[in-house]
Amino acid sequence: MTAPPLRLWAGIEPTVSRVGDRTLDQQALCGTDERPEDMDRLADLGVSAVRLAVLWERTAPDGPASADWRWADERIARLQRRGVTPIAGLVHHGSGPRHTHLLDPGFVPGLVAYARAVAQRYPALSAYTPVNEPLTTARFSGLYGHWYPHARDERSCWLALKHQLQGTVLAMQAIREINPQAQLIQTEDLGRTHSTPRLQQQADFENERRWLSFDLLLGRVTHGHPLWAHLRRAGASEAELLWFAEHPCPPDLLGLNIYVTGERFLDERLERYPACTHGGNGRERYADVEAVRVLGAPHGGVQARLLEAQSRYGRPMAVTEVHLNCTREEQLRWLQGAWQGAREAQAQGADVRAVTAWAAFGAFEWNSLLTRREGHYESGLWDVRAPQPRPTALARLARALARGEAPPLSGLHSAPGWWARAGRLLYPALGEVHSAALPGDRPPLLIVGTGERLGALLRELCAERGLSTLTLDPQLWARLSPADRLGLLQAAGPWGVVSLPGTRLGRGAAHLAQACAALRLPLLCCSGAEVFGHAGPHAWSEADPVAPVDPAARGLAQTERWVLARCPQALVVRGGPLFGTGGAHDSAAAVLGALGSGGARPGGRETLVSPVYARDFLHEALNLLQDGETGLWHLTHGAPISQAEWHGQLAELLGERLPARQPGAEPLPPPALRSGRGWPMPPLSRALAHWWASTGPELTQPCPPAPPAHWRPAPPL
């Protein structure tokens, strides 16, 4: 029998998390709660379904009788008009409204009443996920204490799981009383655990437990189940367990969420790993780290997990979350790899129906499992750090996959991702190391000019991102005829071209722009704030006219004009004074050097500046280049600060007070920048911390702050 064609779905990260007394609403943060037109953006991709959270706590916090359906009404109607199936999620990593929580027996009837109200309001809804990832949520809320109600014991974990799954069974019963054809699409994380031989029993337990949500819904947890004894010790009564066997609710489709870091490795040799990874099961202490950082064997990936689920259940499946917080080409590789893995699993007999491009509008604070509030944002198919959501290269890839077209920039994302390359290993490797080599025929990024330290840094970052590079001598370029220039670019076969700041191309910049335009090559030109003159009390946007005051700045402004006039696909990015280059013009190093030697800096409280971390500047410039952005773009770390504030922040790194002002102690810096196009850079405080961690004195912490250690339950005897 021929497998059905693989479909593309999309999903919006909707979690309303509670940590202590603080609530974080992902849809409010990314703005999609105010943009019903986002449904049309998703439909335009060609997706067949959208995971749309009609959350209990957002829609009916005080009960169905006072529910506000306006948000869901408009979005469901928009999707249905476009022929896109909404998959309604009712609870997503949450505890429901504030009057209840996962350990409250009232959670179950409350969810059932809400599910019935949703079905009555939308009788044509045909697909539901009443509770997303119930086991994962039970662990994080009831066992590890990360999320509300912050319990840390086995019984609480069981109660949270029981209430979510009982709510799922009874919610589907209520829904099917109104729509008998309604399908249950049950999601769960499917990461596999690996270990040293000493901890194999613990790994075996983890690998059995990951199936528990599905096993309970399918009625498989009876006296002979491998986890029966463990669940009884955790406080589950025989009647509670057998209730699921007596009320089976088999999912119509298994939704598997597969992440690179969902694969874990347990190791009792604690000295090999930083303290923030240490945990245990109450009997043994061990480190719990990403398997991809330890195992010599490559990451199993989507295909392996789908085949495992097919062997265990033999039911229809979909990959319901595909997301990676990484550089753009690695995001592209992960999505493309998940799609290919699903197709390969299909070819081996797995009934895989769809792959879901997740976090379509990005996600906030997931780097800390939602436990901190630092403004951390991971972009998705769109980047919401702009006046309107800005489509990234992922959106173009998703559209191509949905339509069965050849993916764009295929040479970039067809290469192996970081999870398959040797650089993935952060700790002593277990087993023989197998790493995929980057293909030698990858289209390179052509870099014009060495740019001194900045050029070396760009090549270093490209190597980290798995991008090959070629460097072109600008003097050679200037001597070539127009025909030879075209021939050189054609022979090099780049996917894009970068002109570094300080590269003295002269009129060669115009020739470079013309050649890129003729070959339709993306061109990135790095510029600076000095085109606006000297710093003052104002910040300048992309729309403001330039006013260079010295020959170098005038040459830079002229290069910008030539490039933008002659190459429609050119992108010119401007930044403020760069730090983190390690070169003679490193703005932060210069100030720190003066402070360290007792020199004074000017106060400059009326002078605004926009210092930029060089690594962030180059990373985001490359992301924008791959996204197909064009024209002028200012890259900043947010609102400008005064020169005095900047010097004060640097002085704090040395533990010193800022010296008294001495006017004229240093030249005026370039002016401050602001952007009307978007704000993809992290906050300056984070950028400065990252720079100091990589170049400053010995760190006081072995690793960044992390959630509490993952204390694991004891394995069954």
Side-chain angles (χ1 to χ4, degrees):
M1 184 175 63
T2 304
L6 193 62
R7 305 291 187 186
L8 184 74
W9 294 354
I12 303 169
E13 168 56 55
T15 304
V16 178
S17 58
R18 294 168 66 183
V19 175
D21 294 328
R22 303 181 68 182
T23 299
L24 185 148
D25 186 333
Q26 294 282 335
Q27 294 189 101
L29 286 172
C30 79
T32 196
D33 63 337
E34 300 290 338
R35 294 190 307 264
E37 64 272 17
D38 283 350
M39 302 303 105
D40 296 303
R41 291 185 170 96
L42 295 171
D44 288 342
L45 294 175
V47 301
S48 61
V50 168
R51 292 187 63 195
L52 183 71
V54 186
L55 294 184
W56 179 15
E57 57 263 56
R58 295 184 93 242
T59 308
D62 299 316
S66 58
D68 184 349
W69 301 104
R70 291 173 295 176
W71 187 93
D73 283 351
E74 185 166 9
R75 285 152 182 80
I76 290 173
R78 279 182 180 249
L79 290 175
Q80 291 175 334
R81 283 197 300 268
R82 299 293 301 273
V84 178
T85 299
I87 302 171
L90 308 184
V91 174
H92 193 104
H93 287 322
S95 292
R98 295 188 73 85
H99 62 74
T100 187
H101 54 78
L102 297 180
L103 306 185
D104 174 18
F107 177 90
V108 177
L111 174 58
V112 174
Y114 176 65
R116 179 178 288 107
V118 173
Q120 290 171 339
R121 182 78 177 188
Y122 312 109
L125 273 182
S126 59
Y128 286 84
T129 301
V131 179
N132 172 71
E133 290 190 354
L135 177 62
T136 300
T137 305
R139 289 190 294 121
F140 282 45
S141 299
L143 187 60
Y144 307 152
H146 298 336
W147 302 338
Y148 191 84
H150 304 292
R152 292 171 174 266
D153 61 273
E154 289 280 11
R155 176 160 179 77
S156 296
C157 183
W158 160 247
L159 285 176
L161 180 62
K162 180 189 74 169
H163 291 156
Q164 290 175 96
L165 291 179
Q166 281 186 338
T168 296
V169 172
L170 298 175
M172 289 309 299
Q173 289 180 4
I175 290 166
R176 285 168 174 159
E177 290 173 4
I178 298 161
N179 181 356
Q181 280 70 50
Q183 292 189 321
L184 169 60
I185 297 176
Q186 184 57 60
T187 58
E188 193 58 86
D189 181 85
L190 203 64
R192 184 173 179 82
T193 300
H194 311 261
S195 74
T196 60
R198 177 174 165 180
L199 293 169
Q200 188 59 54
Q201 187 180 20
Q202 183 66 35
D204 291 343
F205 168 77
E206 304 284 357
N207 289 327
E208 186 62 42
R209 185 182 61 173
R210 65 192 167 130
W211 306 107
L212 193 51
S213 292
F214 297 141
D215 281 0
L216 285 165
L217 290 173
L218 286 160
R220 292 188 176 187
V221 180
T222 58
H223 293 84
H225 191 275
L227 294 184
W228 178 271
H230 166 75
L231 292 170
R232 294 286 282 116
R233 288 196 301 272
S237 70
E238 183 170 325
E240 287 174 327
L241 293 173
L242 292 179
W243 184 91
F244 290 98
E246 295 163 358
H247 301 82
C249 184
D252 297 280
L253 185 143
L254 306 180
L256 309 181
N257 299 339
I258 303 167
Y259 287 88
V260 175
T261 54
E263 305 276 312
R264 309 301 297 178
F265 181 76
L266 311 180
D267 193 336
E268 71 279 2
R269 297 166 293 185
L270 298 179
E271 69 279 1
R272 295 184 172 211
Y273 309 96
C276 61
T277 67
H278 297 177
N281 58 18
R283 294 197 319 244
E284 295 179 284
R285 294 272 294 170
Y286 47 78
D288 179 347
V289 298
E290 301 93 337
V292 71
R293 300 299 191 181
V294 180
L295 291 184
H299 181 270
V302 168
Q303 179 185 2
R305 302 291 82 82
L306 287 171
L307 292 176
E308 274 191 301
Q310 176 69 26
S311 175
R312 188 176 180 104
Y313 297 116
R315 303 185 70 83
M317 298 176 290
V319 183
T320 40
E321 291 183 16
V322 177
H323 175 72
L324 187 67
N325 176 31
C326 208
T327 60
R328 188 73 74 241
E329 61 284 324
E330 299 289 24
Q331 289 184 312
L332 293 166
R333 290 165 184 156
W334 186 243
L335 177 56
Q336 174 72 17
W339 185 267
Q340 186 62 32
R343 290 178 65 97
E344 290 170 355
Q346 275 188 329
Q348 295 182 57
D351 187 359
V352 187
R353 304 293 177 86
V355 170
T356 308
W358 184 245
F361 298 97
F364 290 83
E365 310 294 6
W366 271 102
N367 64 322
S368 66
L369 300 178
L370 308 178
T371 59
R372 299 196 296 269
R373 302 293 184 267
E374 298 174 339
H376 178 82
Y377 172 74
E378 308 166 16
S379 62
L381 304 183
W382 284 267
D383 191 326
V384 301
R385 296 168 296 184
Q388 289 295 318
R390 183 183 65 81
T392 70
L394 274 174
R396 283 186 288 154
L397 174 59
R399 185 178 295 107
L401 294 176
R403 297 176 179 179
E405 300 170 353
L409 296 175
S410 58
L412 299 183
H413 54 67
S414 61
W418 68 262
W419 52 91
R421 304 197 301 267
R424 72 184 188 276
L425 298 170
L426 298 183
Y427 311 114
L430 181 74
E432 183 179 353
V433 176
H434 299 274
S435 298
L438 290 165
D441 59 349
R442 290 170 295 154
L445 179 68
L446 184 64
I447 302 173
V448 181
T450 61
E452 297 180 354
R453 177 62 188 133
L454 197 63
L457 179 58
L458 176 59
R459 288 186 289 273
E460 176 186 323
L461 298 185
C462 285
E464 292 177 7
R465 296 166 70 124
L467 299 174
S468 64
T469 59
L470 285 176
T471 301
L472 175 63
D473 184 345
Q475 294 182 352
L476 170 64
W477 176 262
R479 292 195 300 267
L480 295 176
S481 68
D484 287 341
R485 293 187 188 109
L486 285 176
L488 187 152
L489 285 184
Q490 288 175 321
W495 63 267
V497 179
V498 177
S499 176
L500 290 170
T503 300
R504 295 178 179 176
L505 277 172
R507 289 194 173 275
H511 301 148
L512 181 64
Q514 288 172 331
C516 288
L519 297 176
R520 297 184 178 179
L521 285 174
L523 171 61
L524 170 63
C525 181
C526 297
S527 186
E530 53 266 37
V531 297
F532 292 108
H534 293 312
H538 306 292
W540 304 87
S541 76
E542 295 91 346
D544 292 322
V546 299
V549 296
D550 60 62
R554 286 194 291 272
L556 198 57
Q558 180 63 65
T559 297
E560 290 184 0
R561 288 193 293 271
W562 280 336
V563 166
L564 293 172
R566 289 165 171 79
C567 185
Q569 65 270 30
L571 169 67
V572 175
V573 292
R574 293 174 180 149
L578 294 175
F579 65 94
T581 63
H585 302 292
D586 189 311
S587 62
V591 174
L592 286 173
L595 289 171
S597 62
R601 320 308 297 170
R605 296 197 176 278
E606 298 80 27
T607 301
L608 295 179
V609 293
S610 298
V612 175
Y613 184 29
R615 289 182 64 91
D616 289 341
F617 177 79
L618 292 175
H619 270 312
E620 290 306 330
L622 289 174
N623 287 345
L624 292 173
L625 183 68
Q626 292 193 35
D627 291 343
E629 293 295 338
T630 62
L632 284 168
W633 198 301
H634 289 179
L635 291 178
T636 75
H637 290 295
I641 61 175
S642 73
Q643 191 176 19
E645 289 176 296
W646 171 233
H647 291 167
Q649 290 184 26
L650 293 172
E652 288 178 8
L653 295 177
L654 294 178
E656 298 183 3
R657 294 184 61 186
L658 190 66
R661 181 181 182 185
Q662 290 187 6
E666 69 169 285
L668 281 173
L673 299 177
R674 58 187 176 88
S675 178
R677 298 192 64 180
W679 322 279
M681 304 269 277
L684 179 60
S685 58
R686 283 178 50 208
L688 194 59
H690 291 164
W691 170 70
W692 187 245
S694 63
T695 62
E698 183 177 351
L699 299 180
T700 58
Q701 296 185 15
C703 59
H710 290 198
W711 284 91
R712 301 283 187 168
L717 299 177

